[in-house]
Amino acid sequence: MLPELVTPAPGPRSRALATELRAHESRNVTYVSPGFPVFWESAHGVNVWDVDSNRFLDLTSGFGVASLGYAPRSLVEGVREQVGLLYHAMGDVHPSAGKAALCRRLSQITFESWKLGPGKAILTNSGSEAVEAALKTAWLATRRRGVLAFTGGYHGLGYGALTVTGRTLFRDPFAAQLADFATFLPFPHCQHCPFGASGREPSACLPDCMNTFMRQAEILLGDGEIGAILVEPVQGRGGEIVPPDWFLPLLRSLANQFNAVLIFDEIYTGFHRTGRRFACDRWNVQPDLICLGKALTGGFPLAACVGRAGLMDDAWPESTGEALYTSTFLGNPLGCRMALESLALLEAEPWSQRAEALGDHLHQGLLKLQGASKRWGWTRGLGLMRGIEVLDANGAPDAARAGRLVEAMLARGIILLSGGVEQNVLSFTPPFVVTEAEIDFALEQLGQAEAYASSQ
Ligand SMILES: Cc1ncc(COP(=O)(O)O)c(C=O)c1O
């Protein structure tokens, strides 16, 4: 359903709550301004209602989590039943049956479906921890401490995940306490080529870029210190960046050549978001470890690191009673139930096809928008993971303007996020149940908001 604003957003109750929050929450957490945020009260499908009874169209899926929309019936019924039965167990000691079922299911949809034999999982409470479980696995398996990661990559903000996150914004305040096991290479980005061939669509990427990248990677991997390569197959928070077709196959062959563990962080891209079950399926390249989260549960803090069973068993010793990787809430029964219900829904319909088709529609709309004003830069992405750059009058990235557009859209009843390394990319990751009419409406509003901003 299209948005309906009962009071101008944010309304009086949201504003009062923002004041209260400002007083009692660390001020770095929730961004508060006269136009931000709204406080959510309920959600259904693509819609969110706030405490002032405004209805919004959520084009973010709540950070890419509610891929099937909010509150699908079987998920809600499953949660209700599970809450009545069991909502906490002893994750690594006496777990719930759901943990066994979920680990089996994760194996089936990853390594078994890729015909690579069984997979084994470590469940975690956040994506950041899933990445850290993958880093620990790679270290235990190879005893080589180095990790090759990528500029612009986002893997979470725990100290381990932050160490491999290629964003100075997040790293610099804590640099003095970060370990030094990560080395970063540029993430190939044809529209802003880090190898000097800027302004091309991916298909036109020069072989020179691949050779330059390969030479740099071979030098790094050749010194024998690096035991893992960690990458998002499509960068999400980095600005919806799709690498050229040579990239993932090359990483696979480099990992093979140098005996490194290849880790795909599909926390954002996983579960049909990019028009394939996993983004890596588009290039038919499989990792040794895959990190999953967000849409896995549709709304519970549970994520997973899944690896080839052989690798996992090489890395991790049998538990003798004290687990080396666990936490109080590991494998929470409610989270496992939500993941199982979500996976059943995610596998029940051709969501990839829908994400691909709607993604094309969205892309066409963004191209039209781009043609209407010089203040739009490149548009890019795959499936229902799309972005468009916001520029200043000189064609430079304009983060402030992107922020203003996000606020202007909220005032029009549309929830959007900005992202990208320069913070100037408007990002679109709507639930797969969004309609073409809703996409068209949102883009029309965005065009109007942009025209208004340009006239000021
Ligand atoms: C690719 C990727 N990896 C890891 C994370 C971290 O996940 P979490 O926020 O659940 O710790 C995110 C979060 O946005 C992500 O996009």
Side-chain angles (χ1 to χ4, degrees), residues 6-328:
V6 178
T7 60
R13 294 193 63 201
S14 274
R15 287 204 304 275
L17 284 165
T19 306
E20 186 183 335
L21 195 64
R22 230 342 180 217
H24 301 294
E25 186 190 38
S26 164
R27 63 184 186 170
N28 184 259
V29 180
T30 308
Y31 170 67
V32 175
S33 79
F36 228 72
V38 292
F39 284 72
W40 293 17
E41 191 162 81
S42 64
H44 193 268
V46 291
N47 290 126
V48 170
W49 283 259
D50 75 358
V51 289
D52 292 289
S53 305
N54 290 317
R55 182 172 69 224
F56 296 87
L57 180 61
D58 175 19
L59 296 186
T60 73
S61 303
F63 303 134
V65 169
S67 284
L68 299 176
Y70 294 96
R73 184 178 306 163
S74 61
L75 194 58
V76 172
E77 283 169 2
V79 168
R80 284 211 179 103
E81 187 188 57
Q82 191 62 48
V83 164
L85 286 170
L86 180 76
Y87 55 78
H88 175 66
M90 297 174 72
D92 65 312
V93 178
H94 302 299
S96 71
K99 188 172 93 160
L102 178 57
C103 290
R104 185 179 65 232
R105 198 76 195 98
L106 288 170
S107 164
Q108 286 167 348
I109 61 168
T110 56
F111 292 90
E112 286 176 55
S113 92
W114 292 324
K115 312 258 179 297
L116 293 174
K120 286 196 172 184
I122 295 175
L123 303 184
T124 64
N125 305 318
S126 68
S128 173
E129 291 165 82
V131 169
E132 290 168 359
L135 297 177
K136 285 184 172 176
T137 304
W139 156 249
L140 290 175
T142 65
R143 299 289 165 175
R144 279 178 280 140
R145 68 188 294 273
V147 176
L148 175 56
F150 293 90
T151 50
Y154 184 87
H155 302 288
L157 300 185
Y159 266 173
L162 188 56
T163 302
V164 289
T165 283
R167 301 277 301 272
T168 51
L169 169 74
F170 300 113
R171 294 171 59 88
D172 283 358
F174 307 101
Q177 286 197 319
L178 289 181
D180 61 354
F181 57 76
T183 307
F184 296 92
L185 277 180
F187 189 86
H189 181 4
C190 303
Q191 294 173 338
H192 298 280
C193 179
F195 308 109
S198 209
R200 292 167 185 275
E201 288 296 348
S203 56
C205 190
L206 301 173
D208 284 1
C209 305
M210 184 181 87
N211 293 331
T212 308
F213 175 87
M214 192 162 66
R215 272 196 300 278
Q216 292 179 5
E218 280 174 345
I219 291 168
L220 289 173
L221 289 158
D223 77 5
E225 293 267 302
I226 290 178
I229 303 175
L230 168 68
V231 70
E232 290 169 85
V234 176
Q235 283 192 343
R237 293 198 64 189
E240 284 77 29
I241 302 172
V242 185
D245 288 341
W246 53 260
F247 184 55
L248 287 195
L250 178 63
L251 291 187
R252 181 66 274 175
S253 74
L254 287 168
N256 293 348
Q257 188 186 343
F258 292 97
N259 260 322
V261 174
L262 183 60
I263 308 168
F264 286 168
D265 179 346
E266 294 242 16
I267 287 166
Y268 213 155
T269 50
F271 304 111
H272 312 287
R273 174 59 53 198
T274 67
R276 297 288 188 277
R277 185 198 268 155
F278 300 113
C280 63
D281 293 334
R282 185 173 293 270
W283 292 280
N284 200 18
V285 176
Q286 292 84 35
D288 301 304
L289 298 170
I290 186 166
C291 299
L292 301 170
K294 292 192 185 276
L296 169 61
T297 61
F300 193 92
L302 184 148
C305 161
V306 192
R308 278 192 295 106
L311 170 68
M312 294 297 277
D313 286 346
D314 282 348
W316 295 93
E318 182 86 34
S319 172
T320 54
E322 201 63 88
L324 294 176
Y325 194 99
T326 189
S327 70
T328 306

